[in-house]
Amino acid sequence: MSETFQTQSFGGTGLEPRRPLFSAMWRGAKGRCPNCGEGALFRAYAKSVDRCGHCGEEIFHHRADDLPAYLNVFVVGHIVVAGFLLVERVTDWPGWAHLALWIPVTIIMALALIPPIKGAVIGLQWANRMHGFGGEADDVADPDIDPRQHG
């Protein structure tokens, strides 16, 4: 049984040079343009810019959608549950004390991690030339929707 494996290509022609995945994700996590690392990636809390103010790279067509929220729940949930179990193991706190500690910790961590996680997802998409970062536009399920309005 003979199989031929093709190199996976998300966008572009497949002949372009590879983009650095981890540095693009790191730049995005720091809130910087995944291309140049200089321009701001967000204009508000987690609202991405339309294009980089430094290098001009278009950012508006990213499709981070719900992945940052899912990753946030995964990371925060594991940290908070592990912390709760550790504190429960070594202390004898009443339930109200746990609530007083873990509810604010959960909210603060969740809010603090959304922008870096979203930036890393945008960097991932840029590095893999996904969702318009490869030069061609994605097909939109509803052509009346402008992707610039949903960042």
Side-chain angles (χ1 to χ4, degrees):
M1 187 165 163
S2 171
E3 293 184 29
T4 304
F5 292 100
Q6 299 285 333
T7 303
Q8 187 173 13
S9 176
F10 294 106
T13 64
L15 302 175
E16 296 90 355
R18 298 184 96 178
R19 291 177 173 170
L21 176 65
F22 294 109
S23 64
M25 291 178 68
W26 179 247
R27 289 172 180 167
K30 293 191 304 186
R32 297 285 165 212
C33 170
N35 183 36
C36 67
E38 297 293 324
L41 185 58
F42 300 110
R43 66 173 177 246
Y45 170 65
K47 181 77 170 166
S48 63
V49 296
D50 288 338
R51 68 179 57 246
C52 175
H54 187 262
C55 70
E57 178 76 30
E58 291 182 336
I59 307 290
F60 70 87
H61 44 65
H62 76 81
R63 298 289 303 253
D65 298 331
D66 293 335
L67 181 59
Y70 293 136
L71 294 175
N72 195 351
V73 168
F74 182 79
V75 170
V76 172
H78 278 79
I79 292 171
V80 169
V81 168
F84 168 78
L85 291 173
L86 179 69
V87 170
E88 180 67 16
R89 178 91 173 160
V90 299
T91 67
D92 190 23
W93 287 5
W96 66 265
H98 281 292
L99 289 174
L101 173 66
W102 297 113
I103 288 176
V105 166
T106 303
I107 292 170
I108 291 167
M109 283 182 62
L111 292 174
L113 287 177
I114 279 286
I117 291 174
K118 183 173 182 178
V121 169
I122 293 172
L124 171 76
Q125 292 176 2
W126 177 85
N128 287 319
R129 300 178 192 277
M130 298 168 67
H131 307 300
F133 288 117
E136 62 269 345
D138 277 349
D139 291 333
V140 179
D142 185 352
D144 296 327
I145 294 175
D146 181 7
R148 295 173 202 227
Q149 300 294 322
H150 304 280

